[in-house]
Amino acid sequence: MILSALVKMMSKACNRTSCSVAIIGSGPTGIAAALELKKSGITDIIILEREKEGGGVPRHCGHPPFGLHEYHRILTGPVYARRNVQTVQDENIPLLLRHSVTSLGPNGLLEVVSPEGGMQIDAKRVLLATGTRETPRSARFVSGTRPLGICNTGALQAMVYLKNMVPFRRPLVVGSEIVSFSALWTCKKAGIQPVAMIEKEDHPQVRRPISLACRYFGVPLLLNTTIEKIIGTERVRSVQIIQQDNQREVTCDGVLFTGRFVPESSLARLGDLTLDATTACPLTDKHGRCSDPAYFAAGNLTHHPVRVAGQCFKSGRIIAKEIYKDLDSAGG
């Protein structure tokens, strides 16, 4: 038993590496930060990505416009994501796929697991670029049964663009944020015709001309409307909605929950980093530094409301300059 423990300790010690900057997340923020750091002269950078492909959320957003400011071209999400990843590869920056960070230790010590086993990364600085996620049904307190045909925008786009699957044909769309209209585009590409889009406020959550897109997609926009109950056994059959105190039932075969983004801050909690009490984002100073000065955070992890990919790319470049100055001042 003692010998076994010793072998494990030796194995763990052998799987330890170090770097100047470890970046967690390969979306636009993480990619931009890595490129800017390399441009500044920092060569020992590692990007860690838990998915089997890099590029972040844009890789399953099969619509334009992406990349206008970064590459002076209008690209679809998957093309933009591949372009970002290729740029990192061209710069010989290691992008470790299927590597999940399980612990943020003090002073930048990371515990990482992958199909090849566990490892430790001792980084002088760590950038958290884990982004954001949509609020699921469970956190929206919508009553009713749990049949097939309920998902959020990210799941829909992954099914349509990555798995060639269609989860429903006539869903109800909940929300009117910019991602909600991205969902309408995905529906159109997949031959899905939503029965309606509902919004609890008296106005859409986006400005014109985007808010007029419902007319283009042929989807009624119902304001001052909330979803109360999902009805169905094996699959969604209908939903109960309340519109200005009037309750009615709408026939549909699915419910698509969109928006209401929250920061993907589970790692920050694991690392005992201080979180903002209101937004649950990691609390940072004006330089993007977290409560543990070895850690920085940027992109949608630190911003509410959610930013589009181009803004996250810009955020990554800005935070990289702050990290470079911090390392330079520390003599590292």
Side-chain angles (χ1 to χ4, degrees), residues 281-300:
C281 300
L283 200 61
T284 60
D285 63 14
K286 64 180 181 180
H287 305 290
R289 189 186 294 107
C290 299
S291 54
D292 181 332
Y295 292 89
F296 287 72
N300 278 328

Side-chain angles (χ1 to χ4, degrees), residues 24-269:
I24 305 174
S26 68
T29 301
I31 292 286
L35 294 173
E36 187 67 28
L37 286 165
K38 183 68 180 291
K39 181 181 175 182
S40 299
I42 297 177
T43 56
D44 53 335
I45 306 162
I46 297 174
I47 306 175
L48 300 163
E49 172 57 59
R50 66 183 179 183
E51 302 290 339
K52 64 180 181 180
E53 293 181 41
V57 170
R59 68 190 181 89
H60 50 74
C61 297
H63 57 80
F66 289 86
L68 184 59
H69 297 291
E70 300 91 313
Y71 303 112
H72 308 293
R73 293 208 181 10
I74 296 178
L75 308 172
T76 63
V79 174
Y80 172 76
R82 289 195 295 270
R83 181 76 176 266
N84 283 344
V85 170
Q86 186 60 54
T87 305
V88 161
Q89 292 173 342
D90 291 344
E91 292 293 333
N92 295 316
I93 299 172
L95 170 56
L96 306 184
L97 302 175
R98 300 174 69 187
H99 279 65
S100 298
V101 178
T102 58
S103 174
L104 305 183
N107 303 314
L109 182 60
L110 306 179
E111 297 282 351
V112 183
V113 295
S114 74
E116 288 72 41
M119 65 182 297
Q120 289 184 326
I121 297 177
D122 193 358
K124 294 178 181 177
R125 299 293 183 272
V126 177
L127 171 61
L128 303 178
T130 50
T132 186
R133 57 182 171 82
E134 291 173 289
T135 301
R137 174 196 175 174
S138 58
R140 298 179 190 237
F141 305 108
V142 177
S143 66
T145 56
R146 296 186 176 278
L148 295 174
I150 303 171
C151 65
N152 60 22
T153 311
L156 170 69
Q157 292 175 330
M159 282 187 275
V160 170
Y161 295 119
L162 302 183
K163 300 178 182 179
N164 199 29
M165 295 172 58
V166 178
F168 36 54
R169 289 295 178 183
R170 299 274 291 166
L172 177 77
V173 180
V174 181
S176 66
E177 299 177 36
I178 190 167
V179 70
S180 312
F181 292 89
S182 172
L184 291 186
W185 183 283
T186 301
C187 286
K188 183 175 179 61
K189 297 286 283 186
I192 298 168
Q193 183 58 46
V195 297
M197 173 185 282
I198 65 172
E199 168 56 51
K200 67 177 182 178
E201 303 295 339
D202 61 0
H203 59 276
Q205 298 303 300
V206 293
R207 298 178 180 178
R208 293 191 177 195
I210 297 175
S211 63
L212 301 177
C214 279
R215 298 179 186 177
Y216 169 75
F217 291 112
V219 178
L221 174 59
L222 309 180
L223 302 174
N224 297 306
T225 305
T226 58
I227 180 172
E228 290 296 305
K229 185 178 181 180
I230 298 174
I231 303 168
T233 51
E234 293 185 1
R235 112 163 350 265
V236 175
R237 178 171 58 82
S238 63
V239 297
Q240 285 183 359
I241 62 172
I242 295 180
Q243 185 176 29
Q244 296 181 334
D245 298 326
N246 296 316
Q247 181 174 295
R248 64 188 177 98
E249 190 171 322
V250 177
T251 301
C252 59
D253 67 350
V255 179
L256 178 58
F257 290 102
T258 68
R260 286 182 59 180
F261 286 95
V262 294
E264 185 56 85
S265 55
S266 55
L267 269 180
R269 290 189 180 91

